[in-house]
Amino acid sequence: QEVVFSPLERKPMLRGVTPRRVGPRLLQSLVCLCGRLSLHPAPVGWAPSTMARPGYSPAMVPPATVPSTSAALGSLVPFAPPLDGSGHKGQAGRVAVLGGSIDYSGAPYYAGMSALRVGAELLYLCTAEEATGPIKTYSPELMVSAVYKHSRISSPETRSEEVERMVSAVESLLPRLHVLCIGPGLGRDEAVLEAVGRIIQAAKSRDLPCVVDADGLWLITQRPDFIKGYKNLVLTPNLIEYKRLAKAVLGDENALLEDLCEALDGVVVVQKGSIDRIFASAASISSPLEVSEPGSPKRPGGLGDVLCGSISVLVAWAICRGASPLEACRAACVLVRRACRAAFEKHHRAMVAPDVISELGPCFQELVPAPVSQVMPSPSEVQTNLTAFFHSAVPPLDGSGHK
C-alpha cells in the first residue's frame, strides 16, 4: 500500500489504515521488504482531528494567478522617491524600530531589515540592553541602541528611574525620524509598556507617522482611548489581535472593520488575513481596500514583522508626499505577498522570514524599476577614466620592488 505523509502532521499513514496503527517498526519493515518508499502528498485540505479547533481551516495553496503587474505598479509608483543622485543620506527614510526584549531579538531585526530592503536609508533600533548584543551580530546595517535594561526596569527599586530613561532616550530620537515602528518582540512587561504608551503620546503630539504591531497592539487593547484621533497611526492586527482590539474598543470581537475604524477616529487599521483589508474613518472611501494577491502557503514566524517594517517605509513616503497612507499600506501588502511567493517558489517548505526579506528588493525593482540617473557618466566613460588612472598611478609589478 502507499505510505502517505500529511503536510500538517509528520506521522506516516497507510491509505485506509488509521494513523495510530502505523509505527516506526512497520515503516522499517516496509523499507526493508520493498527496498524503496513511495511518498505521496496527502489530499489538499486534509487535516487530522488533532488539529481541529473552532474557526480553524487548513490553509490551501493559493492559485497561480497573480494580478497584473500594472495594478501593483500603480500602488507603488506614487510613493517611491526618485533615485536621481540628488539626495543625501537619510532623505529616503529615517526609521526607528522600538522593540525587542530580553527574550526576543529576531522580530525587531526582521522589521528593521525589511525597512532597509524596501528602501529606507537609516534604521535606528531601540531595544533592551540585553538584546543589543545579539541584534548587532545579525547585521551592521542596524544602528542598535539600548534604551532600557530589563533587570532595572523590572525591579521595584529602579523601575521608575528606568522608565524615565527609556522615554527620554526614544523621545530625543523622534525629531530625526520619518516614521516610528513599535511592537516587534517588545514583550509585555508592564513597566516597558508604560514607557511605550508615553512614547506613542509624544509621537502623536508631533504627528509623526507610526506603525504599531505585535505586543504594541497588546498595549493599545489595554488603553485604546489614548490613540483615538491619531490619523498618522497604522495598526496591523492579525486575526487574534483584531478580535482582542475590537473587543476592547467596541465590546464585540466580531465587529466590522468600518465600525472599529469609526470608533478609533482616523486611525488606519490593516486587518491581516487571507485577504488583507485596510480602512480608516477619515479616508475618502466607503469600503475597505483589499489585497487578495497570492502569497505563500507557508506561514513561518516573522512575516508580520516583515510587513510591519515594509509598511513603515511606504507610509512615511506617502505622508511626506501628501499621499494616502491607506494606499501605501495596500502597496506594502502587495509587495510583501509577492516577496513571500518568490521566496516560496525557491525554498518551498524550507522558507523562513529571511528568505522573504531577501526578495523584497528584487520584487520592488520588478514593480518599480529604479532608473539610471542621467547625470551619471556612461559605463564607457567610466571605463576610459579608470584605465587612464590605473596606467598612471598604479605601481608596476615587474619584480623590481621590495617588501
Side-chain angles (χ1 to χ4, degrees), residues 28 46 64 84 89 110 132 139 154 171 174 187 358 375 381:
Q28 186 177 9
W46 182 88
D84 57 8
K89 181 176 69 176
Y110 289 158
T132 56
S139 173
S154 59
E171 280 189 350
L174 298 183
S358 298
V375 302
E381 294 174 358

Short mmCIF file of all heavy atoms in Angstrom, two decimals, residues 28 46 64 84 89 110 132 139 154 171 174 187 358 375 381:
data_model
loop_
_atom_site.label_atom_id
_atom_site.label_comp_id
_atom_site.label_asym_id
_atom_site.label_seq_id
_atom_site.Cartn_x
_atom_site.Cartn_y
_atom_site.Cartn_z
N GLN A 28 9.85 0.55 9.02
CA GLN A 28 11.16 -0.05 8.77
C GLN A 28 11.01 -1.37 8.01
O GLN A 28 11.79 -1.66 7.09
CB GLN A 28 11.87 -0.28 10.10
CG GLN A 28 13.31 -0.77 9.94
CD GLN A 28 13.99 -0.92 11.28
OE1 GLN A 28 13.34 -0.81 12.31
NE2 GLN A 28 15.28 -1.15 11.26
N TRP A 46 -6.50 18.21 3.70
CA TRP A 46 -6.59 17.17 4.71
C TRP A 46 -6.12 17.71 6.04
O TRP A 46 -5.12 18.39 6.15
CB TRP A 46 -5.72 15.99 4.32
CG TRP A 46 -5.77 14.84 5.28
CD1 TRP A 46 -6.65 13.80 5.28
CD2 TRP A 46 -4.91 14.63 6.40
NE1 TRP A 46 -6.38 12.95 6.31
CE2 TRP A 46 -5.31 13.43 7.03
CE3 TRP A 46 -3.84 15.33 6.94
CZ2 TRP A 46 -4.70 12.92 8.15
CZ3 TRP A 46 -3.22 14.83 8.06
CH2 TRP A 46 -3.64 13.63 8.65
N ALA A 64 -2.34 29.94 -8.92
CA ALA A 64 -1.13 30.50 -9.53
C ALA A 64 -1.39 31.84 -10.20
O ALA A 64 -0.48 32.49 -10.65
CB ALA A 64 -0.57 29.52 -10.56
N ASP A 84 17.75 59.78 -8.38
CA ASP A 84 18.41 60.57 -9.43
C ASP A 84 19.78 61.10 -9.00
O ASP A 84 20.37 61.92 -9.69
CB ASP A 84 17.51 61.74 -9.85
CG ASP A 84 17.13 62.63 -8.67
OD1 ASP A 84 17.69 62.44 -7.57
OD2 ASP A 84 16.27 63.52 -8.85
N LYS A 89 22.18 61.27 2.42
CA LYS A 89 21.97 60.14 3.31
C LYS A 89 20.80 60.39 4.26
O LYS A 89 20.76 61.40 4.94
CB LYS A 89 23.25 59.86 4.11
CG LYS A 89 23.15 58.68 5.07
CD LYS A 89 24.46 58.41 5.76
CE LYS A 89 24.81 59.51 6.74
NZ LYS A 89 26.04 59.20 7.51
N TYR A 110 14.01 41.59 11.96
CA TYR A 110 13.23 41.38 10.73
C TYR A 110 12.56 42.67 10.29
O TYR A 110 12.57 43.01 9.09
CB TYR A 110 12.16 40.31 10.96
CG TYR A 110 12.68 38.90 11.10
CD1 TYR A 110 11.93 37.91 11.73
CD2 TYR A 110 13.92 38.53 10.61
CE1 TYR A 110 12.39 36.61 11.87
CE2 TYR A 110 14.40 37.24 10.74
CZ TYR A 110 13.63 36.28 11.37
OH TYR A 110 14.09 35.00 11.50
N THR A 132 20.79 43.99 22.73
CA THR A 132 21.62 44.73 21.78
C THR A 132 22.74 43.86 21.21
O THR A 132 23.03 43.94 20.01
CB THR A 132 22.23 45.97 22.45
OG1 THR A 132 22.96 45.58 23.62
CG2 THR A 132 21.15 46.97 22.85
N SER A 139 23.42 42.05 11.94
CA SER A 139 23.72 42.92 10.79
C SER A 139 24.33 44.23 11.26
O SER A 139 23.85 44.83 12.22
CB SER A 139 22.44 43.23 10.00
OG SER A 139 22.70 44.20 8.99
N SER A 154 12.49 46.04 35.64
CA SER A 154 11.64 45.05 36.29
C SER A 154 11.82 45.04 37.80
O SER A 154 11.13 44.29 38.50
CB SER A 154 11.93 43.65 35.73
OG SER A 154 13.29 43.29 35.94
N GLU A 171 12.32 59.64 22.99
CA GLU A 171 11.78 60.96 22.63
C GLU A 171 12.85 61.83 21.99
O GLU A 171 12.56 62.62 21.09
CB GLU A 171 11.20 61.65 23.87
CG GLU A 171 9.81 61.17 24.25
CD GLU A 171 9.20 62.03 25.33
OE1 GLU A 171 9.93 62.88 25.91
OE2 GLU A 171 7.99 61.88 25.61
N LEU A 174 12.94 61.24 18.23
CA LEU A 174 11.77 61.50 17.39
C LEU A 174 11.96 62.62 16.37
O LEU A 174 11.49 62.49 15.23
CB LEU A 174 10.54 61.80 18.27
CG LEU A 174 10.08 60.66 19.20
CD1 LEU A 174 8.81 61.07 19.94
CD2 LEU A 174 9.85 59.37 18.43
N GLY A 187 7.58 42.43 23.95
CA GLY A 187 7.26 41.80 25.22
C GLY A 187 6.14 42.54 25.92
O GLY A 187 5.67 43.59 25.46
N SER A 358 14.97 38.84 1.67
CA SER A 358 15.89 38.87 0.52
C SER A 358 15.17 39.14 -0.79
O SER A 358 15.79 39.61 -1.75
CB SER A 358 16.66 37.55 0.43
OG SER A 358 17.44 37.33 1.57
N VAL A 375 22.47 62.06 -14.86
CA VAL A 375 23.66 62.86 -14.54
C VAL A 375 24.88 61.97 -14.35
O VAL A 375 26.00 62.46 -14.25
CB VAL A 375 23.44 63.69 -13.26
CG1 VAL A 375 22.25 64.61 -13.42
CG2 VAL A 375 23.26 62.81 -12.04
N GLU A 381 32.46 55.84 -20.47
CA GLU A 381 33.24 56.96 -19.93
C GLU A 381 33.96 56.56 -18.65
O GLU A 381 35.13 56.91 -18.44
CB GLU A 381 32.33 58.16 -19.67
CG GLU A 381 31.72 58.77 -20.92
CD GLU A 381 30.72 59.86 -20.57
OE1 GLU A 381 30.50 60.09 -19.37
OE2 GLU A 381 30.17 60.48 -21.49
#
